[in-house]
Amino acid sequence: AIDTDAIIELLQSHQKAPKSSYQGLALELKEAVEKQPEKFSSDIDYYKDVNIIYINSITLGFEESLKKNNILEWDNILPFYKRLIESDNHYKNNEQESPSFIYLTIAKLLSVGMKSNRKSLEQQLTPLVKGILFKLFELSIQQIDSVDKIFDFHSYLLNSTIGVVILSLIDYSLLSAQMASTNQAIRWEDDIRQKFDLCIEKRVIDIYVTLGMYFKNIYYLDQEWTTHTIRSFYNLEKKY
């Protein structure tokens, strides 16, 4: 197996290569992470200065690894992603603007971790997950593109950055409710509900799609809010 220093040296040698030349390397990196997730999750901090394309590949590899019931070292991974999305330096070092695709990939990874591998995501780490999701929400809601026509709402939602972040916030709320084992009528946190209210205020299409497709989950989290919100849609002008 190639050691971490050798991998980083190889990745950095392709930092400014044309897109066509690093796509193959990015795919190989993803496959390597799938096979050795413990190696990459324990050494993740060493990859902080590589091109964001490769960090995206590592994240995709983590996601696929979780689907195979592997366990990641979340106590290393979560602080890494928190620093990544909170700092502009990483993107400046790579001479790129902050690309939204990494936000979507991180949110998907967290969702898979909260749903398929909950035992590895210890309860004391969930506040860090929430902080990352809130930052992803802040970044993604600023980059929403206008949509003229949607033919497949499910595909649209799963490929929309803000849509995936919204779904991740639902997964976080469901996990938190399960950990708390509460029978209260309201099972999510006020500041998360406020994010949903903001999406409705801004007429973000993803929130309407989410409420339709994941009604039962949201109704479980807050019956009164969900009922009131759905009823408020009756007076909306039809757009999609």
Side-chain angles (χ1 to χ4, degrees):
I2 304 176
D3 65 25
T4 300
D5 290 339
I7 295 173
I8 292 172
E9 183 178 352
L10 176 62
L11 298 179
Q12 289 181 333
S13 71
H14 286 71
Q15 285 286 75
K16 299 180 181 180
K19 184 176 181 180
S20 58
S21 68
Y22 60 65
Q23 285 180 329
L25 181 57
L27 179 58
E28 289 183 21
L29 178 61
K30 172 181 173 290
E31 293 173 348
V33 175
E34 285 183 51
K35 294 176 182 177
Q36 299 184 72
E38 66 289 340
K39 172 183 175 63
F40 286 90
S41 58
S42 62
D43 291 346
I44 189 66
D45 282 336
Y46 292 103
Y47 293 89
K48 61 184 176 62
D49 293 321
V50 304
N51 192 297
I52 195 67
I53 293 292
Y54 300 128
I55 293 180
N56 194 65
S57 293
I58 291 171
T59 309
L60 290 169
F62 285 153
E63 180 185 344
E64 291 303 314
S65 177
L66 281 177
K67 291 177 181 177
K68 297 174 183 177
N69 294 319
N70 290 313
I71 294 178
L72 301 179
E73 294 190 26
W74 288 106
D75 52 347
N76 285 338
I77 293 174
L78 294 177
F80 174 82
Y81 287 124
K82 185 175 187 293
R83 289 191 296 269
L84 176 71
I85 62 177
E86 289 181 345
S87 173
D88 292 331
N89 292 332
H90 178 87
Y91 306 110
K92 291 176 181 177
N93 289 340
N94 287 292
E95 299 183 357
Q96 298 183 20
E97 293 182 0
S98 175
S100 62
F101 64 82
I102 190 65
Y103 308 150
L104 184 147
T105 310
I106 294 171
K108 282 186 175 181
L109 171 65
L110 295 179
S111 275
V112 173
M114 288 184 284
K115 288 189 292 188
S116 66
N117 209 339
R118 292 181 174 183
K119 290 182 179 179
S120 69
L121 190 57
E122 298 176 8
Q123 187 166 359
Q124 63 265 29
L125 293 176
T126 53
L128 188 50
V129 172
K130 180 182 176 182
I132 293 171
L133 289 176
F134 271 28
K135 184 62 178 180
L136 291 174
F137 180 92
E138 175 190 332
L139 293 166
S140 57
I141 203 168
Q142 297 171 2
Q143 300 181 6
I144 298 175
D145 297 323
S146 60
V147 180
D148 294 325
K149 195 74 174 177
I150 299 174
F151 297 99
D152 183 341
F153 285 95
H154 185 253
S155 295
Y156 167 80
L157 188 66
L158 296 181
N159 289 282
S160 160
T161 303
I162 185 64
V164 172
V165 171
I166 289 171
L167 293 179
S168 296
L169 285 170
I170 293 174
D171 290 331
Y172 167 85
S173 298
L174 292 172
L175 176 59
S176 296
Q178 182 187 57
M179 288 179 170
S181 299
T182 178
N183 291 320
Q184 295 180 353
I186 299 176
R187 298 183 174 92
W188 62 353
E189 298 163 27
D190 285 344
D191 48 1
I192 293 179
R193 176 188 51 76
Q194 289 166 9
K195 302 295 185 190
F196 281 58
D197 287 334
L198 179 61
C199 287
I200 293 169
E201 178 184 336
K202 290 181 173 292
R203 301 289 295 274
V204 177
I205 182 61
D206 306 72
I207 194 66
Y208 304 108
V209 178
T210 302
L211 278 162
M213 297 185 66
Y214 297 89
F215 174 83
K216 288 184 178 179
N217 300 94
I218 303 172
Y219 189 82
Y220 168 79
L221 293 171
D222 192 335
Q223 177 179 338
E224 182 178 351
W225 180 90
T226 306
T227 303
H228 172 78
T229 300
I230 294 295
R231 285 176 177 168
S232 72
F233 294 165
Y234 294 162
N235 298 321
L236 290 177
E237 177 184 353
K238 184 177 180 181
K239 184 176 180 180
Y240 297 97

